[in-house]
Amino acid sequence: EVVMTQSPGTLYVSPGERATLSCRASQSVIGNLAWYQQKPGQAPRLLIYGASVRAAGVPERFSGSGSGRDFTLTISGLQAEDFAVYYCQQYNNWPPYTFGQGTRLQIK
Amino acid sequence: QVQLQQWGAGLLKPSETLSLTCAVYGGSLNHYYWNWVRQPPGKGLEWIGEIDHLGRTVYNPSLRSRLRISIDTSKNQFSLSLNSVTAADTAVYFCARPVDCSATICTGPFEVWGRGTLVTVSS
């Protein structure tokens, strides 16, 4: 099973600034990496797949990068609605698909 | 616009069987693997398993011995059955569909989600 590790656990950033979230896989997942945003009481929302492809309707301020084991989600110009929990997911080696434990993005 | 509507019993006793169904509206079951994902309260996401329109399944090895996912193409629905539940199975259960792709059958990242069903296991 591929273990996904996200850092930091909680990130404090001010509105308007940039947030950088990290995700590391225990083995290479090539570029088969997705990022999700989840708000309380809601289902996750797909933001990025293929490590860097924005899903339909996702604002340009969300960008993904990386390959192999190390990946980054960058959110530029943070808006109030961006404060949420973010998960990475690998879909290169399954079963099972595996998720990171999440990074909570909070207002500074 | 594809939508997933899910339902099932929300309160179970230990050793009972969890049963959930997810109906697909606005799209066909063809071309995708249909998934179940769960999330214990306050915790992260765990993939449960998937099924395609032909009934081919892929299960999380950690749940395989208790798990059955089935599909009813006549009703455009797929279902989850998890037997011998314990308190550790208490979670919000989501059904989900992968993002569209160019392959014959799509799998992988999940673009369309149901709203989730809280299942509580308690004596």
Side-chain angles (χ1 to χ4, degrees):
Chain A
E1 174 175 322
V2 180
V3 177
M4 307 301 292
T5 303
Q6 293 185 240
S7 60
T10 304
L11 182 61
Y12 295 90
V13 183
S14 300
E17 295 190 340
R18 175 186 298 176
T20 303
L21 290 67
S22 296
C23 176
R24 170 167 284 185
S26 60
Q27 63 190 78
S28 176
V29 298
I30 314 178
N32 296 314
L33 189 285
W35 289 95
Y36 299 85
Q37 176 193 69
Q38 189 178 33
K39 298 179 180 179
Q42 296 184 15
R45 173 195 180 193
L46 179 65
L47 299 175
I48 301 285
Y49 62 98
S52 62
V53 179
R54 272 188 300 275
V58 175
E60 290 186 2
R61 65 180 181 273
F62 291 90
S63 63
S65 63
S67 65
R69 293 181 58 201
D70 292 305
F71 300 87
T72 301
L73 175 69
T74 302
I75 312 170
S76 302
L78 275 166
Q79 300 191 4
E81 62 265 31
D82 299 335
F83 293 94
V85 179
Y86 291 83
Y87 294 95
C88 61
Q89 176 210 8
Q90 69 82 22
Y91 52 95
N92 189 65
N93 300 310
W94 86 102
Y97 299 117
T98 49
F99 295 86
Q101 81 280 17
T103 290
R104 184 177 301 275
L105 181 58
Q106 293 204 307
I107 298 176
K108 186 175 182 181
Chain B
Q1 181 88 2
V2 173
Q3 293 188 343
L4 306 182
Q5 183 175 338
Q6 55 181 108
W7 65 89
L11 182 60
L12 297 172
K13 290 182 167 52
S15 81
E16 293 185 334
T17 297
L18 181 158
S19 294
L20 298 173
T21 297
C22 182
V24 179
Y25 295 100
S28 169
L29 292 178
N30 297 352
H31 189 48
Y32 300 96
Y33 266 93
W34 298 88
N35 290 260
W36 290 98
V37 176
R38 70 180 182 179
Q39 184 172 37
K43 297 188 178 180
L45 300 162
E46 179 182 30
W47 177 76
I48 297 170
E50 61 186 359
I51 189 167
D52 75 356
H53 67 285
L54 298 176
R56 294 177 294 195
T57 54
V58 183
Y59 294 156
N60 190 323
S62 69
L63 298 169
R64 184 179 292 140
S65 64
R66 301 190 290 129
L67 181 61
R68 179 173 178 265
I69 299 176
S70 58
I71 197 162
D72 187 337
T73 55
S74 67
K75 295 182 178 179
N76 237 36
Q77 297 173 357
F78 60 105
S79 298
L80 166 70
S81 178
L82 184 67
N83 62 35
S84 304
V85 296
T86 70
D89 295 310
T90 294
V92 176
Y93 287 74
F94 297 98
C95 54
R97 193 211 78 180
V99 67
D100 204 1
C101 70
S102 58
T104 303
I105 294 184
C106 300
T107 186
F110 309 129
E111 181 180 39
V112 183
W113 294 73
R115 299 183 73 169
T117 301
L118 174 61
V119 177
T120 302
V121 181
S122 175
S123 55

